Amino acid sequence: MNSETTHAQIDGPLHGLKIVDLTTVLSGPYTTQILADLGAEVLKIEGPTGDAMRSNGVLRTPGFGHIFLASNRNKKSIQLDLKQEEEKSKLKLLLKDADVFIHNMRLAAIDRLGLSYSTIAAINPRIIYCSITGYGSNGPHGGRPAFDDVIQAASGLVDINSGSGGPSYVKTVIADKVAGLMAANAVLAALHCRSEHGIAQEVEVPMLETMTAFNLVEHMGGLTYPDREEPPGYKRLLEGGRRVIHTRDGALCIMPYGPKQWESILCRLGQQGEFEKLEIGSRADVSRKIGALNDLLEGLGPTMSSQKWQALCDELDIACGKINPLREILDDEHLSAVGLFQTSVHPVVGPVVQVRHPVIYSKTPATLRHPAPSLGEHNDFLPTE
């Protein structure tokens, strides 16, 4: 940044960064949405029919499904048929002065297009080249197709989420979004390395490895030790450590943390004898007997209203919060007060509500500068030579 540039002239902390984005569906678009929100100029390359997410989800206008609107704001759309050499040459012109190229194609497909790292690095030696793949370039499954569902299954998440009906998928596209978060971090790390050490490089984000690492932070359990005598998993989460507490008029999440908080709330509610029977003296005791502790709390739930429970937990400094129904999330008192949901007028779709970038930057805030683009809306942005 020029020393004379003012904060008011900066569209977020990544202002001035140029990213060429050859991603589709969600993992890649979520990555570049984060980077675009932070001020990067993201040129979204779309094929003749556009990103598949243009047609998915809730649509009021063709080509603008709600997921596409959410994950492609602040980007420019350039429509190119990369199977045509003339069109591919236009992409290569864009890449000559780009800081980042990112794709989430299978590696064999990107190689067939002639857009491998070695090819792009020959055009622009300073490029940070990021690929998001299902299984990466190594290992026996390297070339397999992968979607969120498959990665949830292979990473152990579907097993972790097992209930009375057996293994179960998590009801959010979590593997795609975790890979997207990891890719955004990876791109920023590579850019820092280039800035500090002059090293440009290829960055590979395999979804399976990424999601497995994410799951096992707390669920390695006995797998941590080579002899594997104890089972994997974090017992507090797997054995009744999380309960919805049904109150007289609703439902809450109430989470006493540590023996002192459990003692304070149960004794206040006349359960001192029951608490003492459990012989809770340490955090390890809480972890081992979390099911029994939650049984006590769950049984007490209907004795008070949600408001009284919240007041008691606030008094005792115990974490507590209501169970927000999804259809009421926009009306949450806290989220409304901090302005998380913003309404803007899309030139094609009309008024749309979106979730702003959640991180606060004191001097270079992330902003909603441009709505999700129409297919090929910015083709006039292509260089002519």
Side-chain angles (χ1 to χ4, degrees), residues 257-264 275 280-286:
Y257 195 76
K260 289 185 178 180
Q261 287 197 343
W262 274 107
E263 182 177 13
S264 68
F275 178 79
I280 303 292
S282 67
R283 289 188 185 278
D285 293 333
V286 170

Side-chain angles (χ1 to χ4, degrees), residues 33-290:
Q33 176 235 297
I34 294 168
L35 301 174
D37 282 358
L38 294 175
E41 179 183 58
V42 175
L43 308 178
K44 182 179 178 67
I45 310 301
E46 299 189 70
T49 58
D51 189 322
M53 278 300 174
R54 285 186 175 274
S55 302
N56 282 11
V58 180
L59 289 90
R60 290 190 173 176
T61 304
F64 288 99
H66 81 276
I67 302 172
F68 181 85
L69 287 168
S71 56
N72 289 283
R73 65 194 185 207
N74 288 332
K75 302 177 187 178
K76 294 181 172 69
S77 172
I78 295 175
Q79 185 180 25
L80 293 174
D81 183 355
L82 297 181
K83 293 180 181 179
Q84 306 299 321
E85 287 301 319
E86 182 181 355
E87 300 280 273
K88 193 186 303 181
S89 67
K90 294 177 182 178
L91 173 62
K92 290 179 178 179
L93 284 174
L94 283 177
L95 288 165
K96 279 189 174 181
D97 64 347
D99 293 287
V100 179
F101 175 63
I102 181 167
H103 75 84
N104 61 348
M105 299 177 66
R106 293 163 70 179
L107 296 179
I110 201 76
D111 285 346
R112 284 195 299 270
L113 279 177
L115 297 173
S116 65
Y117 172 63
S118 59
T119 301
I120 304 306
I123 297 169
N124 178 356
R126 296 184 70 255
I127 200 83
I128 301 301
Y129 182 108
C130 179
S131 58
I132 304 172
T133 62
Y135 299 93
S137 57
N138 299 312
H141 303 327
R144 285 184 177 178
F147 291 95
D148 184 271
D149 314 51
V150 176
I151 299 301
Q152 282 199 36
S155 67
L157 183 60
V158 175
D159 180 57
I160 291 169
N161 200 48
S162 294
S164 58
S168 178
Y169 293 96
V170 174
K171 295 179 182 178
T172 184
V173 192
I174 191 170
D176 272 2
K177 290 186 288 185
V178 168
L181 286 167
M182 184 66 80
N185 282 318
V187 165
L188 295 176
L191 286 167
H192 175 76
C193 183
R194 188 186 72 180
S195 174
E196 292 297 311
H197 308 294
I199 300 171
Q201 61 189 302
E202 180 179 11
V203 176
E204 185 179 302
V205 183
M207 289 176 66
L208 178 58
E209 288 95 311
T210 297
M211 196 64 203
T212 303
F214 179 84
N215 293 334
L216 293 182
V217 170
E218 75 275 33
H219 283 297
M220 277 289 286
L223 299 180
T224 302
Y225 308 102
D227 57 20
R228 301 185 184 183
E229 290 182 357
E230 296 184 56
Y234 183 27
K235 190 173 182 179
R236 188 181 79 80
L237 304 185
L238 297 179
E239 298 183 13
R242 285 180 167 173
R243 304 277 182 90
V244 173
I245 304 301
H246 294 278
T247 68
R248 183 176 294 167
D249 58 357
L252 294 171
C253 170
I254 301 174
M255 190 184 160
Y257 195 76
K260 289 185 178 180
Q261 287 197 343
W262 274 107
E263 182 177 13
S264 68
I265 193 169
L266 290 175
C267 290
R268 178 67 70 87
L269 295 167
Q271 301 296 310
Q272 183 171 353
E274 294 301 317
F275 178 79
E276 290 175 351
K277 286 179 185 178
L278 292 174
E279 298 181 339
I280 303 292
S282 67
R283 289 188 185 278
D285 293 333
V286 170
S287 180
R288 284 194 297 270
K289 300 177 182 180
I290 190 65

